[in-house]
Amino acid sequence: MKNFRQQGFTLIELMIVVTIIGILAAVALPAYQDFTTRAKMTELLLAGNAAKALVSEAFLGGGVAGVTRAATEYNARSVAEKQSKFVANIAIDPALGIITVTSAGASSGLPADAQNKTLIFTPNVQKALLAEGVTGAIDWACASSTNATAGGRGLSTGLGTLPAKYAPSECR
């Protein structure tokens, strides 16, 4: 009698492996898409840095009046100068120095719920909004649709419109 050995896999074994891989892919793909979008949204955080430096220097050099002058000059710049692939615009509130960074629209390849959304950067001195006569270093509060991180630090901030799942951890 000849002794036969099984060569390869049966059809049912292959179907089980394919099913397991399919389930893993179904779970991993949405998480990966959120991760890549979050990586793109860090560009909004970086784009706000130049405006944050401008507001900080203006406040330290000229108080609230300095911030108003700097914000007015910055807002007068062309939008094209402030845009990038994932950033549509950056604006500074002349009264309080609050910076609003808006994400790009449909042509950017961002998911629909991340298009044309905002991150808000709020300057705080001594855990309060900028005010005449107040001195000190500026602490920046960042907020998306939530502001738990800034609130946990005791900083004043408004809310942006970017869903928190896409926001950098500093802005959740």
Side-chain angles (χ1 to χ4, degrees):
M1 270 181 129
K2 292 185 176 179
N3 204 358
F4 290 101
R5 289 188 166 172
Q6 181 181 358
Q7 301 268 327
F9 300 102
T10 65
L11 181 60
I12 193 74
E13 290 170 334
L14 290 174
M15 290 176 64
I16 290 170
V17 169
V18 168
T19 302
I20 291 171
I21 291 171
I23 291 169
L24 292 173
V27 170
L29 191 58
Y32 177 74
Q33 289 173 333
D34 287 352
F35 175 76
T36 56
T37 301
R38 192 175 309 122
K40 293 172 184 175
M41 291 297 100
T42 58
E43 188 171 313
L44 275 69
L45 189 66
L46 296 174
N49 284 343
K52 285 166 51 176
L54 177 71
V55 170
S56 295
E57 290 175 17
F59 181 73
L60 292 174
V64 175
V67 171
T68 301
R69 285 190 302 275
T72 302
E73 181 276 324
Y74 188 82
N75 292 336
R77 297 177 188 176
S78 72
V79 173
E81 185 179 326
K82 301 179 238 179
Q83 288 178 329
S84 69
K85 184 173 182 179
F86 302 116
V87 176
N89 194 14
I90 303 168
I92 303 172
D93 179 337
L96 297 172
I98 297 171
I99 300 166
T100 303
V101 182
T102 306
S103 63
S107 63
S108 66
L110 294 172
D113 59 342
Q115 296 172 9
N116 300 308
K117 302 296 182 184
T118 59
L119 279 181
I120 305 294
F121 299 96
T122 307
N124 285 255
V125 176
Q126 300 174 15
K127 297 190 179 189
L129 297 176
L130 299 183
E132 201 59 55
V134 177
T135 59
I138 291 181
D139 291 319
W140 287 94
C142 182
S144 56
S145 61
T146 63
N147 61 2
T149 302
R153 294 179 182 157
L155 301 175
S156 299
T157 185
L159 291 176
T161 58
L162 182 71
K165 69 179 183 175
Y166 297 135
S169 60
E170 176 72 17
C171 301
R172 290 188 203 146

